[in-house]
Amino acid sequence: MKDKEESSEFQVKVWLGDADHYYVLSRFLVSRMLTVTKIPNHVAVKIALELKKLLIDNSLLDVSQSDLETSLFKLMARRGYGEEYINRYNMMTKFHHQRVPLVILVCGTACVGKSTIATQLAQRLNLPNVLHTDMVYELLRTATDAPLTSTPVWTREFGSSEELITEFCRECRIVRKGLAGDLKKAMKDGKPIIIEGRHLDPSIYLMNDENKAPSNDPEKSSKETNSSGDPASDRNPEASSSNTKETETSTAVKPYSEAEATSVEAIDSSEKVAQCKIDEAEKKKKSADGSGKTKSGPEPIIISIVLKMAKFDHKALLEEWIASRTTGDKYTSKEKDRLITNLKTIEDYLCSFNSQGVTVVNISATTFPQTLDWLHNYLLQRIEEGIRSAENETQK
């Protein structure tokens, strides 16, 4: 027992490239790297412990990155996590090396689980930045002269659903401007970012290939609403996705869920829902040959996810939310009905982008773990597609 305690004090140096640089092996970081491959968290921790013990017991206090991974992969395979998981590990390593910009948008109305989903995905995928549009909205409203009100748009009275959507889109555009700095930094530095909130309009982030500008026409988007209103995958009824009409290189994603109930953390994720550019100028870089010509950086991976909930469940949560607010007693029955109707109108608008490649996910308390697991896998698929796209662009 004493020997094991003493061995834990040893540091293992992992040397990179030409052995000019190294980092100290961290069991915690190794386990985080493993959870992104969908290895359950408790198993990932055990593998990380076994790896360090193996190296120390064999007096391997200086190892190369490749030797470290060889030992790690053997331990993974021994526990039944072979080729499929090793390929995911290598894929995520390549993703980080290429520094492909990644933006994940978690959209939806009030009380559908946006913050919970965003937080869980950030933990699973080890995303360092999670931005909340509610916070951005309040900062803009109180600290600037932005034309925003303290009253949520869905609680107001409008003459028609078109007026409601127009006002919702206007507020989303203002919030989008408030996010400009963070998005530009993500594009420039190749850093991942996840944005969640009630002020996200997918049309602002989708790119129209014909004019290379975001589509901001809510009426045009509404006309493309999926007639089913509740799209679902044959293999997973909890979510659905379709390819962007404008993107020729996109391939259909066939979602599926796996029964691994995990509380995990992981490493970066996703692929582009549409061939998007948030600020094309930020991605242009001078070529290394000094010719003065410019070439684009890696195509950003931008994923928009819209969360929705069954009407009965959503109404129950909304009523609980209303009752918990200090102003809850001021809502009349008529005002509550209007609020619920307005939220349904906004939800229908957001779900209409399913026909443009935005993923619509049905949220339910009874199937939440499976839905989260499906999203984890879906993002890994998107990352892999993004890496292939980046490699193809590099070869041209």
Side-chain angles (χ1 to χ4, degrees), residues 93-328:
T93 300
K94 185 183 295 185
F95 172 74
H96 288 296
H97 179 72
Q98 293 181 353
R99 301 180 69 82
V100 180
L102 167 67
V103 179
I104 301 175
L105 307 171
V106 182
C107 317
T109 59
C111 299
V112 293
K114 299 179 301 300
S115 296
T116 302
I117 287 289
T119 300
Q120 291 289 327
L121 288 177
Q123 290 177 351
R124 285 186 173 225
L125 302 167
N126 196 27
L127 299 179
N129 297 316
V130 180
L131 295 181
H132 308 276
T133 63
D134 285 355
M135 184 180 297
V136 176
Y137 183 97
E138 281 303 305
L139 287 172
L140 291 173
R141 185 182 70 81
T142 57
T144 70
D145 58 355
L148 299 171
T149 69
S150 59
T151 306
V153 64
W154 50 88
T155 63
R156 302 176 217 158
E157 189 170 0
F158 295 91
S160 65
S161 58
E162 287 76 15
E163 289 182 15
L164 167 61
I165 295 303
T166 298
E167 176 62 12
F168 170 74
C169 293
R170 185 190 70 83
E171 291 187 354
C172 287
R173 285 193 293 271
I174 294 174
V175 171
R176 165 64 180 84
K177 291 179 180 178
L179 292 169
D182 295 287
L183 289 169
K184 287 182 179 180
K185 183 172 179 59
M187 295 298 105
K188 180 180 179 181
D189 299 342
K191 296 292 182 65
I193 186 172
I194 182 168
I195 306 173
E196 70 84 18
R198 297 171 288 187
H199 303 92
L200 290 175
D201 176 2
S203 72
I204 300 175
Y205 302 85
L206 293 176
M207 178 62 63
N208 184 318
D209 278 350
E210 291 183 5
N211 53 26
K212 296 298 180 183
S215 170
N216 289 319
D217 186 352
E219 292 187 6
K220 179 180 179 182
S221 300
S222 298
K223 291 177 181 178
E224 296 177 352
T225 303
N226 192 320
S227 59
S228 68
D230 188 17
S233 165
D234 291 338
R235 298 182 68 184
N236 183 357
E238 293 302 317
S240 63
S241 65
S242 60
N243 292 348
T244 308
K245 295 179 180 179
E246 296 84 2
T247 308
E248 295 179 356
T249 57
S250 295
T251 57
V253 175
K254 297 181 179 179
Y256 62 91
S257 61
E258 299 176 18
E260 297 173 12
T262 109
S263 57
V264 289
E265 298 171 329
I267 291 244
D268 280 281
S269 66
S270 166
E271 196 315 61
K272 56 191 172 190
V273 161
Q275 210 164 11
C276 325
K277 295 177 183 177
I278 293 193
D279 190 345
E280 190 173 7
E282 286 296 321
K283 300 186 300 150
K284 298 283 187 176
K285 297 180 180 179
K286 294 291 182 180
S287 59
D289 61 7
S291 63
K293 296 181 180 180
T294 60
K295 60 179 181 180
S296 299
E299 188 75 15
I301 299 172
I302 302 180
I303 301 180
S304 293
I305 300 169
V306 173
L307 305 184
K308 65 176 297 188
M309 188 175 290
K311 185 176 181 180
F312 178 82
D313 293 337
H314 195 198
K315 184 176 181 180
L317 287 174
L318 285 171
E319 290 180 345
E320 182 179 338
W321 172 70
I322 291 171
S324 67
R325 294 171 62 86
T326 56
T327 58

